[in-house]
């Protein structure tokens, strides 16, 4: 809500005539607001506030109406009556539903006119308690938004979902839009050049990060969350999963102002396995030996170190009314909790704007450069992962010796080689050898250049043209020294991969708005073009020592550990190239009546290159919505401020991958040409999401209480599948369009603002979401279901009537008639029973047992903020109810004898399961647990409930106002994140993810543990 303070607000020295001048200031409870827009209604004359929240207007006439707007606040109008000064106080916590919301195509609208659910969060929500990937700062802050970071530390990607998983084979990530233009997201490559990141238990894959981590949180002014397809329909095929609209800070007129922000935190693991430290090793590998004379150390704690992160930024803003500029520099440095893991990022951002022809033409240019470096980024899985050695190290052995002597000299090879308790196991390496001699290093340079020209033809009619070019150049090196991975690479391995991504986006918009008495119209029409291209060049070389025998070459490597193409007799190289183009025309119109009844219609038509070679590469989608502010037509009393109903329906497509309609041949090493394995899909149609939502928005008791409730239902049809084809076709698989994935649920947001007087306020906000996912239809030929991901005896399987995320696992067998557990006797050569273990099932889909849906149906967040004078205290509690997670880490700890469970069983001398006693504890846990990446273990024992409640964030701060002069403030805040769990069942953090691909969330295979962070945030404005 925007109010004009009495007495001091209007210092009226009346002026006559038509040349009045006005000096004013716009601020909120925390101080001046930079970048608020002040315009003379129904004209093109206006300005923006400077760093001190000040503005100046001249040429005013009595009766002119001034409009003041700021994203996330209620717009306000005040008539000019000759006053010379004006002070406006904007209260963010009140009347939020009348706030300005940035919608699709960057169009600003009052939230009361929206026919769909949308939510705006301020830049402070991601800047006060920072994450290296800024999107992670929104965890628990919005109903229906789920964010799961990868277990890869600094620079890692995050899985983002609005209202559940919809697409089986396509992307479920929302579109990310910065200043109205879609952000290039195809920058995260695995080692195969794809964004899959993790594919199996083996591990060793790369998380190349996502574009969200390249955004400096201090550059963000606001974020609008468009949760449904209706809200993002104008973006068409790239926004079927909703959109995240990021508005960055802009150049403002006024004196030169400087903002400095520094955020420093230290990080420690929040949840480690429960290790045993009383039983040693009999073979220097597994910890199945006798009792130790003294307790062994916790080797995981010996391995992990205290991590740290610094996030600093400085921005300069200012200029004249006709020429203004904004420059910022951000720097992130991080040392992970694993040794030798470091991350750094440098971000340079600039914006320059100027006005022409008496402010009828506004021109803005932007440029941005980001450099990222990450070394030894953790990755889940058994191979190339230092966590396996740290967790499985045999109890009682000399950890410090192997830490300081991870390599020894081999005179035969004339090089240092791997030194460890056992160097013959691929899944079990010295962690310090991995960190120093198998170090993955990533370098990224990202460039962005853009511009916008807006021509205000007449009042209410404008034309805008925008263009942005983005490019990302990545270099990923993962060289392995000689003897690595159980001597699989006796002379070492060279890997040097280069990835290139670019995107060109351009659009043109015509916007018109006008009011005729009780009726209003806001309309936008336009066209857009988006061209993306990704390419990669991968160089790989390995082998044995090169020699010549009888004039014929043997081996491939001249010298060990020289990672240069010239050191190899032959190299394996491959190239990849993907190009896509999407053209579109679109239009939207909002019709209003008495500022209380609104009708929305949108239409978009896409032409996609991915549908080339089909009958039609054009597809059309419409949407329609309506909202009714009942309080505008019915007197509901003074305690009801807003009583709004809304509903919308849309059909939105989801773009498909390139080259499905005409698969390409591949050129391999030495000229080998490989034909495609999948048949051309000449009848391909894009996925289509049919979305309906209805909701209620209310504000009560002088805007103290606000309520937002939404019911939604989406059906994503025309899914694309690959199914097996007869061999006679010449192909192994063919694509088909089929399937129907349904999501329905509700979202609820409740908020209360209480002013206790004496400068003491309290605001509390609760968000709750429920999502029920169901597979309505798959495709003929998949009677046993579709395996979405397979982690060895644990598969996410989709079946009709099931859920997107149903987990099926290997399990202990039972007699079909009696229900008793089946037992396998292990005998010696003479037939004598040595020991017995439970009998395990197979791992085919039909052999596995359903144990639950990995996705939680209910998520909730509760945020509280207390302010007393210049003190502030806020905390966020995050709730997740339901879902399943699986830990192969725990299975490995059991099989290797390092878990506390195995020590307890040895102390007792036996294990009892379902009334059956097993006396050989070692063999029992080796059968039930996992000795390696392809072990046949009892997955069912390692499935846990994902329910958890945690203290997500705490912040306590104080602002020293006018410390260095007027409006020159210093704010100091103590901050903490992931502080502790109030409740959890799983031995690790249940919000775990190995990657952002479909079906890999909720699996723990020696994943990096989640960290708790403590630190200090400093902000200075002058």
């Amino acid at each position: 809500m925007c109010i004009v303070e009495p007495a001091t607000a209007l210092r009226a020295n009346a002026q006559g005539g038509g040349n009045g001048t006005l000096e004013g200031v716009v601020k909120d409870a925390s101080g001046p607001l930079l970048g608020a827009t002040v315009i003379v209604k129904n004209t093109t004359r206006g300005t923006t506030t400077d760093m001190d929240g000040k503005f100046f207007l001249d040429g005013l006439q009595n009766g002119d109406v001034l409009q003041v707007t700021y994203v996330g606040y209620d717009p306000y109008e005040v008539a000019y009556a000759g006053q010379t000064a004006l002070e406006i106080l904007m209260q963010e916590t009140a009347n939020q539903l009348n706030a300005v919301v940035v919608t699709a195509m960057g169009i600003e609208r009052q939230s009361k006119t929206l026919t769909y659910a949308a939510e705006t969060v301020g830049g402070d929500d991601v800047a006060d308690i920072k994450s290296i990937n800024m999107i992670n700062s929104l965890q628990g802050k919005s109903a229906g938004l789920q964010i799961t970071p990868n277990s890869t530390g600094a620079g890692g990607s995050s899985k983002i979902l609005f209202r559940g998983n919809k697409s089986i084979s396509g992307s479920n990530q929302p579109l990310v839009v910065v200043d109205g233009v879609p952000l290039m997201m195809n920058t995260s490559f695995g080692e195969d050049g794809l964004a899959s990141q993790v594919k199996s238990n083996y591990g060793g894959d790369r998380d190349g990060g996502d574009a969200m981590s390249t955004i400096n949180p201090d550059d963000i002014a606001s974020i609008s969350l468009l949760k449904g397809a209706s809200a993002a329909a104008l973006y068409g095929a790239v926004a079927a999963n909703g959109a995240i609209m990021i508005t960055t800070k802009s150049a403002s007129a006024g004196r030169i102002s400087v903002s400095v922000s520094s955020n420093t935190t230290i990080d420690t693991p929040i949840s480690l396995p429960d290790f045993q430290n009383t039983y040693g090793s009999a073979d220097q590998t597994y910890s199945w030996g006798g009792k130790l004379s003294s307790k062994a150390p916790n080797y995981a704690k010996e391995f992990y170190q205290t991590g740290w992160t610094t996030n600093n930024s400085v921005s300069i803003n200012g200029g004249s009314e006709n020429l203004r500029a904004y420059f910022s520099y951000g720097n992130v440095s991080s040392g992970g909790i694993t040794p030798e893991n470091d991350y750094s990022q440098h971000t340079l951002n600039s914006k320059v704007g100027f006005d022409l022809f008496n402010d009828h033409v506004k021109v803005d240019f932007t440029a941005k450069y980001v450099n990222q470096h990450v070394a030894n980024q953790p990755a889940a899985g058994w191979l190339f992962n230092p966590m396996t050695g740290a967790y499985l190290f045999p109890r009682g052995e000399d950890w410090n010796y192997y830490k300081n002597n991870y390599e020894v000299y081999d005179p035969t090879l004339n090089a240092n080689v791997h030194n460890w308790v056992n160097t013959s196991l691929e899944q079990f390496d010295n962690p310090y050898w991995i960190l120093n001699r198998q170090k993955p290093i990533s370098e990224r340079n990202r460039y962005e250049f853009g511009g916008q020209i807006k021509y205000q033809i007449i009042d209410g009619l404008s034309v805008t043209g925008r263009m942005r070019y983005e490019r990302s150049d990545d270099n990923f090196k993962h060289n392995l020294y000689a003897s690595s991975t159980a001597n699989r690479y006796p002379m070492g391995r060279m890997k040097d991969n280069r990835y290139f991504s670019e995107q060109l986006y351009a659009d043109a918009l015509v916007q018109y708005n006008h009011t005729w008495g009780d009726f209003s119209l806001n309309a936008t029409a336009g066209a857009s073009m988006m061209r993306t291209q990704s390419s990669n060049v991968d160089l790989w070389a390995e082998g044995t020592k090169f020699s010549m025998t009888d004039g014929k070459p043997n081996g491939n490597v001249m010298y060990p550990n020289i990672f240069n193409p010239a050191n190899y007799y032959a190299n394996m190289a491959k190239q990849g190239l993907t190009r896509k183009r999407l053209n579109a025309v679109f239009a939207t119109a909002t019709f209003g009546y008495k500022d209380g009844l609104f009708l929305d219609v949108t239409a978009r038509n896409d032409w996609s290159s991915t549908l080339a070679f089909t009958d039609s590469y054009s597809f059309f989608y419409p949407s329609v919505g309506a909202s009714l502010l009942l309080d505008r037509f019915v007197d509901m009393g003074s305690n009801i401020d807003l009583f709004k109903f809304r509903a919308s329906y849309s059909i939105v497509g989801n773009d498909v991958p390139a080259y499905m309609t005409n698969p390409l041949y591949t050129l391999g090493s030495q000229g080998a040409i490989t034909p495609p394995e999948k048949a051309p899909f000449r009848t391909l149609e894009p996925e289509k999401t049919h979305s309906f939502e209805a909701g209620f928005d209310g504000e009560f008791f002088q805007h103290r209480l606000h309520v937002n409730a939404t019911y939604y239902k989406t059906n994503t049809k025309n899914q694309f599948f690959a199914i097996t084809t007869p061999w006679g076709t010449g192909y192994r698989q063919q694509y088909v369009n089929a399937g129907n994935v349904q999501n329905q649920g509700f979202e609820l947001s409740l908020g209360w603002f209480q002013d206790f007087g004496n400068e003491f306020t309290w605001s509390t906000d609760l968000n709750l979401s429920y999502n029920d996912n169901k597979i309505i239809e798959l495709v003929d030929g998949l009677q046993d279901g579709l395996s979405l991901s397979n982690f060895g005896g644990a598969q996410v399987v989709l079946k009709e009537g099931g859920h997107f995320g149903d987990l099926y696992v290997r399990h202990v067998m039972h007699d079909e008639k009696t229900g008793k557990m089946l037992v396998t006797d292990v005998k010696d050569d003479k037939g004598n029973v040595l020991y017995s273990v439970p009998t395990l099932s197979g791992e085919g889909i039909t052999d596995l047992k359903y144990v639950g849906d990995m996705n939680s149906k209910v998520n909730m967040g509760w945020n509280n903020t207390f302010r007393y004078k210049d003190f502030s205290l806020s905390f966020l509690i995050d709730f997740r109810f339901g879902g399943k997670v699986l830990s192969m880490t725990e299975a490995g700890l059991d099989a290797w004898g390092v878990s506390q469970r195995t020590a307890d069983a040895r102390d007792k001398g036996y294990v009892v399961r379902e009334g059956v006693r097993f006396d050989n504890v070692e063999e029992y846990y080796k059968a039930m647990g996992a000795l390696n990446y392809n072990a046949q273990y009892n997955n069912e024992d390692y499935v846990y409930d994902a329910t958890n409640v945690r203290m997500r964030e705490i912040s306590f701060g104080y602002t020293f106002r006018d410390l260095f002069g007027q409006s020159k403030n210093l704010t100091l805040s103590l901050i903490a994140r992931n502080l502790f769990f109030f409740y959890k069942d799983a031995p690790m953090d249940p919000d775990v993810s190995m990657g952002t691909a479909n079906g890999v969330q909720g699996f723990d295979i020696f994943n990096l543990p989640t960290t708790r962070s403590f630190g200090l945030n400093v902000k200075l404005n002058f």
Side-chain angles (χ1 to χ4, degrees):
M1 179 180 180
C2 179
I3 62 173
V4 180
E5 294 183 328
T8 60
L10 301 178
R11 296 186 291 275
N13 296 318
Q15 304 177 104
N19 195 29
T21 61
L22 174 66
E23 293 183 0
V25 62
V26 180
K27 58 184 181 180
D28 66 1
S30 299
L33 290 175
L34 165 67
T37 301
V38 184
I39 65 170
V40 180
K41 189 174 182 179
N42 297 323
T43 75
T44 60
R45 292 184 294 125
T47 186
T48 56
T49 57
D50 63 15
M51 187 66 196
D52 297 325
K54 295 180 180 179
F55 66 91
F56 174 82
L57 287 173
D58 58 8
L60 297 174
Q61 299 182 5
N62 288 342
D64 281 347
V65 177
L66 305 183
Q67 290 180 319
V68 185
T69 59
Y70 192 77
V71 173
Y73 295 79
D74 183 28
Y76 187 78
E77 295 185 358
V78 60
Y80 176 72
Q83 59 265 42
T84 59
L86 182 67
E87 185 173 286
I88 298 173
L89 176 66
M90 304 184 78
Q91 296 179 327
E92 185 179 10
T93 54
N95 206 7
Q96 293 180 3
L97 292 172
N98 284 331
V100 176
V101 177
V102 178
T103 63
M105 293 295 165
I107 301 170
E108 291 188 0
R109 294 177 56 180
Q110 291 186 20
S111 63
K112 67 183 180 182
T113 70
L114 300 180
T115 62
Y116 46 77
E119 184 175 355
T120 297
V121 294
D124 289 345
D125 286 290
V126 295
D128 285 348
I129 302 180
K130 297 177 182 176
S131 292
I132 293 179
N133 190 332
M134 49 76 53
I135 196 64
N136 296 338
S137 297
L138 295 183
Q139 286 179 293
K141 295 181 180 178
S142 176
L145 172 63
Q146 291 177 264
I147 301 171
T148 309
N150 285 359
S151 304
T152 49
S157 307
S158 292
K159 178 79 169 183
I160 311 168
L161 283 180
F162 281 130
R163 299 177 176 176
N165 291 283
K166 304 174 185 68
S167 179
I168 294 173
S169 301
S171 172
N172 285 290
Q173 300 268 90
L175 177 69
V176 179
V177 179
V178 176
D179 296 328
V181 177
L183 186 67
M184 181 179 71
M185 298 295 289
N186 57 329
T187 60
S188 181
F189 294 96
E191 293 199 4
D192 55 0
L194 303 175
S196 54
Q197 299 160 1
V198 174
K199 299 180 291 296
S200 69
N201 302 338
Y202 296 90
D205 298 289
R206 174 198 180 218
D207 179 0
D210 56 32
M212 303 291 277
S213 63
T214 67
I215 300 174
N216 180 0
D218 288 305
D219 284 339
I220 296 175
S222 68
I223 302 174
S224 294
L225 305 174
L226 309 183
K227 302 175 184 180
S230 297
L234 274 187
Y235 284 112
V238 292
N241 302 309
I244 298 174
M245 309 290 299
I246 299 174
T247 301
T248 61
K249 295 175 181 177
S250 298
S252 300
R255 68 174 181 83
I256 300 298
S257 58
V258 178
S259 295
V260 178
S261 173
S262 180
N263 186 291
T264 302
T265 59
I266 59 173
D267 309 311
T268 57
I270 190 174
S271 187
L272 290 177
D274 192 7
F275 296 100
Q276 67 92 3
N277 56 9
T278 56
Y279 288 89
S281 174
D283 55 7
Q284 287 194 306
T285 302
Y286 306 108
S287 295
W288 288 110
K291 271 205 169 184
L292 297 169
S293 58
S294 60
K295 289 186 177 181
N298 185 325
Y299 300 114
K301 291 184 177 180
E302 295 280 323
F303 174 70
Y304 289 121
Q305 62 185 16
T306 299
W308 57 272
T309 300
T310 62
N311 196 324
N312 305 307
S313 70
V314 58
S315 64
I316 303 174
N317 194 0
S320 66
E321 289 293 328
N322 295 322
L323 178 63
R324 53 206 172 271
Y326 174 88
F327 300 98
S328 71
Y329 166 71
N331 169 268
V332 181
S333 296
S334 177
I337 61 172
T338 59
E340 306 296 327
N341 168 223
D342 65 88
Y343 173 88
S344 64
Q345 175 175 310
H346 303 272
T347 304
L348 289 168
N349 189 25
S350 64
K351 288 186 174 184
V352 176
F354 55 89
D355 302 336
L356 303 171
F357 309 112
N358 295 322
D359 296 341
H360 279 273
V361 177
K362 294 183 180 295
V363 182
D364 293 281
F365 292 104
T366 63
K368 182 179 177 181
Y369 168 71
V370 180
N371 170 262
Q372 290 178 322
H373 164 88
V374 58
N376 268 323
Q377 183 182 50
W382 285 83
L383 301 183
F384 311 114
N385 186 351
M387 265 70 84
T388 58
Y391 285 10
L392 303 178
F393 185 73
R395 312 293 101 163
E397 297 297 321
D398 191 345
W399 170 266
N400 288 327
Y401 167 76
Y402 290 104
K403 174 182 178 180
N404 299 322
N405 299 276
Y406 58 82
E407 60 185 0
V408 294
Y409 180 69
D410 182 350
T412 304
L413 191 63
N414 194 27
N416 288 333
V417 295
H418 182 208
N419 184 34
W420 190 228
V421 290
N422 188 334
T423 59
S424 64
L425 300 176
E426 290 184 336
Q427 73 274 22
F428 182 53
D429 282 349
N430 187 323
Y432 298 95
W433 170 267
I434 293 177
L435 295 172
N436 291 279
R437 297 295 180 253
Q438 298 181 3
K439 180 183 292 189
I441 299 175
S442 294
E443 294 280 351
R444 169 175 294 157
N445 290 289
R446 184 182 173 104
Y447 315 87
E448 298 179 17
F449 305 96
Q452 172 180 300
I453 300 176
K454 183 176 182 179
Y455 174 38
Q456 192 76 37
I457 302 173
I458 58 174
D459 291 343
L461 178 64
S462 65
V463 177
T464 303
R466 298 181 295 201
M467 180 178 290
R468 181 190 291 162
Y469 173 77
E470 301 174 65
R471 178 180 175 89
S472 179
D473 299 338
D474 284 41
N475 180 205
F476 176 62
K477 294 182 179 180
H478 195 189
N479 298 321
L480 309 181
Y481 277 65
S483 76
S484 289
T485 319
N487 209 34
R488 175 181 287 190
Y489 308 104
M491 298 289 286
R493 184 202 73 180
M494 178 186 69
K495 172 174 282 196
D496 190 340
N497 298 348
R498 309 294 172 101
Y499 308 113
F500 310 95
S501 306
E502 62 180 3
Q503 176 177 290
L504 177 64
Y505 177 91
D507 64 23
L509 308 176
V510 178
Q511 294 174 284
Y512 177 73
N513 62 82
H514 193 74
T515 300
W516 301 271
D518 291 336
F519 297 91
S520 64
L521 170 66
N522 286 273
T524 301
S528 67
M529 179 277 296
M530 184 165 64
R531 187 189 70 201
T532 59
Q533 177 173 305
S534 301
S535 61
N536 62 288
V537 179
D538 299 347
L539 186 62
W540 174 304
E542 60 176 87
T544 58
K545 184 172 179 60
F546 177 82
S547 64
M548 296 293 293
T549 305
D550 298 328
K552 297 180 180 180
N554 292 304
N556 191 48
V557 188
M558 309 297 177
Y559 306 100
N561 305 332
I562 296 179
F563 306 110
N564 186 305
N567 188 46
Y568 300 89
Y569 180 76
N571 300 313
M572 292 176 283
K574 63 178 181 180
Q575 290 180 292
L577 175 64
T578 301
R579 292 174 176 167
K580 293 174 62 175
R581 180 162 177 161
L582 186 69
N583 296 336
V585 294
F586 50 85
T588 181
T590 301
F591 303 92
Y593 174 65
K594 289 190 174 181
D595 210 27
L597 178 64
F598 300 94
L599 175 67
D600 255 5
V601 291
T602 71
R604 177 173 170 124
N605 199 93
D606 282 350
W607 290 267
S608 175
S609 66
T610 62
L611 297 178
F613 303 99
T614 65
D615 293 336
S616 175
Y617 50 86
S618 167
F619 42 107
F620 171 81
Y621 5 77
S623 74
V624 61
S627 62
L628 170 65
L629 281 67
L630 193 60
D631 58 291
R632 299 298 174 96
F633 301 99
V634 179
D635 185 1
M636 294 185 169
S638 60
N639 286 327
I640 298 180
D641 307 295
L642 181 72
F643 207 82
K644 171 186 170 183
F645 297 95
R646 51 180 165 78
S648 62
Y649 177 79
S650 67
I651 302 174
V652 181
N654 193 3
D655 206 4
V656 296
Y659 310 132
M660 290 178 61
T661 60
N662 191 44
L664 303 178
Y665 283 71
T666 56
L667 179 63
S669 59
Q670 299 180 348
I673 298 178
T674 305
E677 295 184 346
K678 294 182 175 67
F681 193 8
R682 299 297 168 82
T683 59
L684 173 65
E685 297 179 9
E687 293 182 354
K688 287 196 174 180
T689 296
H690 300 249
S691 173
F692 169 77
E693 70 173 70
F696 169 78
D697 301 322
E699 291 194 357
F700 308 91
F701 309 113
Q702 291 74 52
H703 305 293
R704 290 190 181 92
L705 173 66
H706 69 83
V707 180
N708 310 85
T710 302
Y711 165 80
Y712 62 86
K713 181 181 178 182
T714 65
N715 289 85
T716 303
K717 304 177 181 180
N718 264 4
Q719 307 264 353
F720 56 93
F721 298 88
I723 62 173
T724 303
T725 59
W727 280 102
T729 63
Y731 299 98
R732 291 190 175 184
Q733 293 181 314
Q734 68 176 17
Y735 290 108
V736 295
N737 274 125
N740 180 357
V741 177
Q742 178 177 286
N743 287 273
Q744 65 176 333
F746 67 84
E747 298 160 351
L748 177 65
S749 297
L750 302 171
W752 179 268
F753 175 80
Q754 183 65 50
D755 187 346
F756 295 99
N758 297 320
E759 300 180 302
F760 179 42
T761 64
W762 168 51
S763 63
T764 182
D765 296 277
L766 179 73
N767 68 78
L768 172 70
S769 64
Y770 169 86
N771 184 73
D772 182 26
N773 177 282
K774 187 175 183 180
I775 309 297
I776 303 296
E777 177 188 347
L778 281 177
V779 63
D780 294 337
L782 294 175
Q783 293 82 0
D784 297 328
L786 174 69
S787 179
L788 193 64
S789 60
N790 187 338
F791 289 96
Q795 299 186 42
V796 175
V797 180
L798 308 185
K799 295 184 178 181
E800 289 188 5
H803 310 94
F804 194 118
D806 282 345
L807 180 62
Y808 290 78
V809 298
R810 186 188 290 109
H811 58 96
V812 171
M813 299 285 289
H814 292 79
D815 186 274
E816 293 182 0
K817 294 181 180 180
T818 65
K820 291 185 178 181
M821 178 178 59
L822 299 180
V823 174
T824 299
D825 293 331
V826 179
K827 303 177 181 179
D828 61 17
D829 295 338
K830 297 180 179 179
N832 299 315
V833 176
L834 298 175
Y835 57 87
S836 300
V837 293
T839 303
L840 297 182
S841 69
E843 62 179 46
I845 290 181
T846 57
D847 299 321
L848 303 180
K849 176 183 178 180
Y850 173 68
V851 291
D853 184 359
M854 301 192 76
N855 298 305
S856 301
K857 288 182 179 291
V858 179
N859 291 273
M860 187 169 72
W862 184 34
N863 196 21
N864 288 269
T865 300
F866 301 88
R867 297 185 186 277
Y868 177 68
K869 293 186 177 180
D870 291 325
F871 289 95
S872 65
L873 170 67
S874 64
F875 64 87
L876 171 65
I877 301 176
D878 203 353
F879 305 77
R880 175 183 176 183
F881 300 105
K884 299 292 182 182
V885 292
L886 183 143
S887 177
M888 196 176 185
T889 303
E890 292 294 320
L893 303 184
D894 279 355
W896 286 64
V898 297
S899 68
Q900 185 59 43
R901 279 182 301 274
T902 63
D904 294 340
R906 279 177 277 186
D907 289 343
K908 190 164 41 176
Y910 57 88
V911 176
V912 175
R913 185 187 189 108
E914 299 182 35
V916 179
R917 174 168 168 159
F918 299 94
D919 292 319
N920 194 322
V921 175
E922 176 180 350
E923 296 301 335
Y924 172 86
Y925 279 109
K926 283 185 175 180
M928 296 297 100
L931 287 170
N932 52 55
Y933 43 75
N934 55 10
Q936 308 291 307
Y937 71 103
N938 185 24
N939 307 69
E940 184 182 15
D941 281 355
Y942 304 99
V943 176
Y944 305 93
D945 184 5
T947 297
N948 69 92
V949 182
R950 78 179 73 204
M951 181 62 74
R952 178 69 74 180
E953 291 182 354
I954 295 180
S955 174
F956 177 70
Y958 181 79
T959 299
F960 299 87
R961 299 198 181 279
D962 303 325
L963 185 63
F964 306 105
Q966 185 178 4
S967 300
K968 298 177 181 179
N969 304 326
L970 172 67
T971 300
L972 300 177
S973 300
L974 298 174
I975 56 176
R977 183 170 171 81
N978 286 326
L979 197 58
F980 56 84
F981 286 96
F982 293 98
Y983 170 83
K984 74 179 178 74
D985 172 67
M988 72 294 192
D989 183 351
D991 292 347
V992 65
S993 179
M994 297 180 69
T996 58
N998 296 336
V1000 300
Q1001 290 74 49
F1003 289 96
D1004 169 33
I1005 306 178
F1006 294 96
N1007 293 19
L1008 182 75
T1010 301
T1011 58
R1012 64 164 57 90
S1013 302
F1014 304 88
L1016 177 68
N1017 190 36
V1018 180
K1019 288 186 176 182
L1020 174 63
N1021 300 322
F1022 58 91

